[in-house]
Each structure stands twice: as structure tokens, then as C-alpha cells.
Amino acid sequence: ADVGTLALAAAAAAAVLRPTPSMAVMPANATHAMIAALLISSSHVLYALVWYFPQSFMKMCKTLGAGINPVTAFSGLVALAKVTQQIGLIGWVCTLAKPDSAQAAVRFLLASISEAAVQQWVLAGLLIAAGQALNLSIYRAIGKDGVYYGFKLGHPVPWCTDFPFNAGFRHPQYVGGMLSQLGVFSLLATSVTLNAGLLAFLAYWFALYAITSYMEASGDNDEHKD
């Protein structure tokens, strides 16, 4: 269900945006693209660090303060990383403005979004709504402890077979996140951003989610299955 849902969403986006062969495969400015890529990877680097070094993370939380809950701390860091990701993407879009100034960058960004076609807004709304619905459903199903590696951070999480897991999703929170992000990309897609390499960032985002999903699948919370 994960792959099928994302493939269907990507196909819908392609139908609306109608990419052409002239669109750039790689971002034009390597330095700006590299900075954006590093910022975009922030949450996935955080996931990996906590996944592979949970004891060190819990020790760090204990050192910082006896009352710090590792799961709460992790969720806060993830929220910060999510903001950092959007700063990376939007910042890259702003670098495409001419002339190179802060005012021109803001005007360019606002113009890119405001000039989006009606079908882009509809697509973005549907994708973001579907993505956030999945995210809310996963919170309802397994709570904060389940979403933020509680079973690795001293908070046992029972195995869940309710929705959205019973709909065939293995990583519904990542599918929801990618659907929402695809909605953001839909609004940022203009001839300028597409020709500058926007689709390369979309592929990169998909790859990061795929790597994180594989990491988690290789060591899921299987010991708590019924």
C-alpha cells in the first residue's frame, strides 16, 4: 500500500504539472543545492542517530535534566528538523530569484505560489489533507511513544493491527509525510523551479523516506507482536 499510494499520487502530480524533457535533472547551482540537500536530510539523520544509538540519546537526555522524557525530546527535535527541511527547500527556491536580494527572493516565492494554477491548488490540498489524515491516524493508533521510537527509548509499545496498519500500510507516517510534501512541491512547481531542478529534490525526498523505511523495517518492534 505504501508504494502504490505514493505512485498514484506521483502520477496525479505528473498529470497536473506535465513535466517536459527540457526540465533539469539536477539543480543548477551546486552550492545552493548541496546546502538545501543537507537541510532536507536533517530529520532522517536524526531518525538514524536515535534508531542506532538509543542508549546514548537517553543518556544525553538524563544528563541534560532528570525530568526530560526521551520520547518527548525526540519528538521536539523531529519537529525542529521538519521546519529545517522546509527552510532548505524554500530557501533554495528563493535563490532562483533575480536580482539576488532578500526582497526579490520573497517576491519570487510569493509570486510562485500565488500564480499556481487552480488544479495545482486542488492537487496540493488533496495531497496534504490525505497525508495529514494518515499522520493523525497513526498518532491515534500507537500514540507518541509508538511514532517516536518509544520501544527503543524505554517505553514499550504494543503491536498494533488497527487502521492504518490493517489497510496494508507498513510505514503510514512516512507515506503521510511524503503525500504532504508532494502537495508542497505541487505549489512550488513553476517553469523556473522545474527547469532549475525541483524534480531532483522531489526524488531525493522520496529516497530519504525509502532509506528510513528500510532502516526501520530491518529492526521493527517485532518482539511485541501478539
Side-chain angles (χ1 to χ4, degrees):
D2 296 32
V3 176
T5 300
L6 291 177
L8 182 61
V16 170
L17 301 177
R18 295 188 296 276
T20 65
S22 64
M23 291 177 183
V25 176
M26 294 297 292
N29 188 299
T31 301
H32 293 162
M34 186 175 298
I35 293 172
L38 288 173
L39 294 176
I40 289 169
S41 69
S42 59
S43 70
H44 298 277
V45 172
L46 177 61
Y47 288 138
L49 288 174
V50 175
W51 181 267
Y52 288 114
F53 306 103
Q55 296 300 324
S56 297
F57 184 75
M58 287 190 289
K59 184 178 179 179
M60 182 186 70
C61 290
K62 187 175 181 180
T63 301
L64 292 175
I68 296 180
N69 183 325
V71 171
T72 301
F74 183 35
S75 67
L77 289 173
V78 169
L80 179 61
K82 295 294 185 182
V83 173
T84 301
Q85 286 183 304
Q86 302 311 316
I87 290 174
L89 177 62
I90 293 173
W92 173 79
V93 171
C94 289
T95 64
L96 303 176
K98 302 295 181 184
D100 186 9
S101 69
Q103 289 184 339
V106 172
R107 287 197 299 268
F108 177 77
L109 176 64
L110 294 177
S112 298
I113 297 174
S114 64
E115 293 174 7
V118 173
Q119 58 266 34
Q120 286 178 260
W121 282 99
V122 171
L123 176 65
L126 291 174
L127 289 171
I128 292 173
Q132 292 310 302
L134 267 180
N135 286 337
L136 288 174
S137 70
I138 193 67
Y139 271 92
R140 292 184 62 183
I142 61 177
K144 181 187 286 187
D145 288 347
V147 172
Y148 296 106
Y149 298 171
F151 77 100
K152 282 183 169 286
L153 299 174
H155 295 261
V157 180
W159 192 260
C160 180
T161 56
D162 295 333
F163 183 83
F165 297 102
N166 59 7
F169 291 105
R170 183 67 183 267
H171 299 285
Q173 70 272 31
Y174 296 147
V175 175
M178 196 62 236
L179 288 175
S180 297
Q181 196 59 50
L182 191 54
V184 174
F185 272 92
S186 298
L187 287 180
L188 294 176
T190 66
S191 59
V192 174
T193 58
L194 288 169
N195 286 328
L198 183 67
L199 293 182
F201 282 110
L202 177 58
Y204 176 62
W205 220 298
F206 267 100
L208 289 172
Y209 271 115
I211 291 170
T212 301
S213 296
Y214 177 79
M215 175 191 75
E216 294 186 8
S218 66
D220 261 334
N221 190 16
D222 295 331
E223 63 270 22
H224 294 291
K225 284 184 179 180
D226 292 333

